[in-house]
Amino acid sequence: MRILLTNDDGVHAPGLTVLEEIARHFSDDIWICAPSEEQSGAGHSLTLNRPVRLQQHGERRFSVTGTPTDSVTLGLRKVLDAAPDVILSGVNHGANLGDDITYSGTVSAAIEGALAGIRSIAFSQVYTRQWTGNAAFDTAREWGPKVLAPLLDTPLPQRTLINVNFPPRTPETVKGIRAVRQGFHDYSRGTVVEGRDPRGHTYYWFGLDAIEHTLDHGTDLEAIDEGYVSVTPLHLDLTHHASLGNIAGRFAG
Ligand code: MN
C-alpha cells in the first residue's frame, strides 16, 4: 500500500513525523510532499500568481514552496509515478472542528486528494492553553493507528473524505472513538490585533482565540469536549438540496 503524506504546518513540523509513525504501522511505501513553510489557514488555495518550486529532502521526502493543495497536486503529478492508495494529512497542531474545516489547509489537502479519487484522511490534534507543545502529539501517536486501521478499507463514495481530531488529553484518558457529524461554532473569528510597523504603517493580525460553541449532540465538537477521538466523513457536494426547489421557484416562469 502506497501512502502519500502531507500537512499544512510545513515539512519540518513535528506532527508530520507523528503522521509518518502512524503510517508506518501499515506500510513501508511512504512518500512525503508537504509545504516548505507553515500554511495553516490556507484553506483550499492553489498558488496561481507565482511559480512553485519542488525540493527533495530525501529519497521519498519532498517540499513545495506553496500551499497544501499545491503539495498534493505536485505529489500526484510530479513526485509519484503511480497514484497512492491513501493520502494522509496532518497531524495538524490544533483543532479542525466544526466550521474550522473550510479554513483548514490540513483538511483541504485531503479534499484535494478526494477530488483526485484517492482515499484521503485529515488528522488534527486539538490543544488548549494548558495542553500544548510536542507532548500533545502522544495522543495522536497512540490513537492514530487505532482510528486509521478501519478507515483504510471502509467503503467511501467518490468526493468523500474523513476528518479526524484527537482530544487534548493524555492517551490513557481518551475514552474511545466516535463517528460524529460536523458541528458549528458560534460565529466569531476572534480578535483582530491592530499595530504599527517600524515604518509607521498600520497592520492587522488575526488572533486565534478559543472560539465559543454551543454544544450540539452528536457533533465533532461534543465528542472532543467529552474526551473522544472524533471521526467525521465529509463530502464535497456543497449544494443545500433542501433549498434547491425553493430557490429554483424564485427563478421560474
Ligand atoms: Mn496547521
Side-chain angles (χ1 to χ4, degrees):
M1 180 173 51
R2 174 167 286 187
I3 304 179
L4 175 63
L5 308 183
T6 191
N7 72 356
D8 79 355
D9 292 335
V11 71
H12 302 298
L16 185 59
T17 307
V18 175
L19 186 65
E20 188 173 354
E21 289 176 41
I22 294 168
R24 289 214 180 272
H25 283 81
F26 304 95
S27 176
D28 289 323
D29 190 9
I30 292 171
W31 295 72
I32 293 172
C33 191
S36 55
E37 293 181 2
E38 185 180 343
Q39 295 285 324
S40 296
H44 195 202
S45 59
L46 183 65
T47 300
L48 296 176
N49 59 356
R50 61 181 173 81
V52 170
R53 312 268 179 198
L54 181 67
Q55 296 168 311
Q56 186 162 12
H57 303 269
E59 191 195 342
R60 298 179 183 185
R61 191 177 189 88
F62 297 79
S63 71
V64 172
T65 59
T67 66
T69 298
D70 299 336
S71 301
V72 171
T73 301
L74 285 187
L76 296 179
R77 295 202 192 169
K78 296 294 174 187
V79 172
L80 296 177
D81 57 2
D85 301 290
V86 184
I87 294 175
L88 305 179
S89 179
V91 176
N92 189 56
H93 185 68
N96 280 307
L97 296 164
D99 35 15
D100 295 342
I101 287 169
T102 54
Y103 296 97
S104 170
T106 306
V107 176
S108 294
I111 288 174
E112 190 62 23
L115 285 172
I118 297 161
R119 178 178 298 267
S120 297
I121 305 165
F123 292 96
S124 301
Q125 173 63 60
V126 184
Y127 67 88
T128 63
R129 284 202 168 79
Q130 296 76 38
W131 178 267
T132 186
N134 294 344
F137 283 115
D138 289 350
T139 299
R141 188 182 287 109
E142 182 154 336
W143 283 84
K146 293 177 200 173
V147 70
L148 179 55
L151 296 178
L152 287 174
D153 60 4
T154 193
L156 272 183
Q158 288 287 305
R159 293 187 169 81
T160 306
L161 59 140
I162 304 282
N163 185 34
V164 174
N165 279 262
F166 301 99
R169 51 171 68 205
T170 56
E172 58 278 11
T173 61
V174 173
K175 291 184 184 166
I177 301 168
R178 269 189 192 163
V180 283
R181 65 188 164 87
Q182 175 191 353
F184 288 95
H185 295 292
D186 300 335
Y187 184 78
S188 162
R189 286 260 66 90
T191 53
V192 177
V193 174
E194 183 174 326
R196 207 162 280 273
D197 73 17
R199 293 194 294 165
H201 303 301
T202 302
Y203 67 79
Y204 301 98
W205 207 338
F206 301 111
L208 260 188
D209 308 321
I211 301 166
E212 294 294 315
H213 55 264
T214 309
L215 283 183
D216 207 359
H217 186 58
T219 64
D220 52 1
L221 292 161
E222 181 198 58
I224 291 295
D225 270 27
E226 294 183 354
Y228 291 84
V229 178
S230 70
V231 179
T232 302
L234 304 174
H235 67 130
L236 299 181
D237 178 2
L238 299 182
T239 307
H240 189 249
H241 290 275
S243 299
L244 194 53
N246 182 35
I247 298 291
R250 302 305 297 265
F251 295 100

